[in-house]
Amino acid sequence: MSRTNNPPTPPAYRGVGPNLILNGNGFYVSYNDIDRDIYGGDTTALVLGQMESFFILNGDHRGQYAPRIESGFDACLAYFRDNMELMNFRSDLPPCPDTAGEATPTP
């Protein structure tokens, strides 16, 4: 039996199109395993607001984002920043670290 260090992935629902969605407050995490021709492989996007910004990592990061969802957008953005070596070429660049709080959606 194979073991990985990846945390378990919580249930998600199918969003618009092929994506699987994890909802946060004013943001969501979207996993796409369908549009490989467009993105070059599976991707996970941290999406701010009503698709204002897309912070896209190559691979499946749902398990890593899931425990951060309830901590809010900034916690998820910190994970994105920590893994920018996996940033997809179609990703938006994140805001400067000292202004990240300004991107946080208001309740």
Side-chain angles (χ1 to χ4, degrees):
M1 181 167 130
S2 169
R3 294 181 187 237
T4 67
N5 292 330
N6 292 335
T9 302
Y13 70 89
R14 196 58 76 180
V16 175
N19 298 13
L20 294 168
I21 306 293
L22 300 171
N23 275 316
N25 184 15
F27 70 98
Y28 60 94
V29 172
S30 175
Y31 172 67
N32 185 339
D33 62 349
I34 303 296
D35 295 321
R36 293 178 178 135
D37 290 342
I38 296 170
Y39 295 98
D42 293 4
T43 56
T44 307
L46 172 61
V47 183
L48 177 61
Q50 296 297 311
M51 297 191 258
E52 295 162 32
S53 298
F54 289 82
F55 306 109
I56 307 169
L57 295 175
N58 295 320
D60 183 354
H61 297 267
R62 291 173 293 169
Q64 291 82 2
Y65 276 121
R68 294 168 172 84
I69 294 277
E70 289 197 20
S71 296
F73 177 79
D74 284 344
C76 292
L77 186 60
Y79 175 80
F80 175 85
R81 276 199 185 95
D82 289 345
N83 292 278
M84 283 185 61
E85 72 277 4
L86 300 173
M87 186 171 69
N88 187 272
F89 70 99
R90 294 190 180 274
S91 180
D92 292 330
L93 293 174
C96 296
D98 60 337
T99 62
E102 296 173 14
T104 304
T106 55

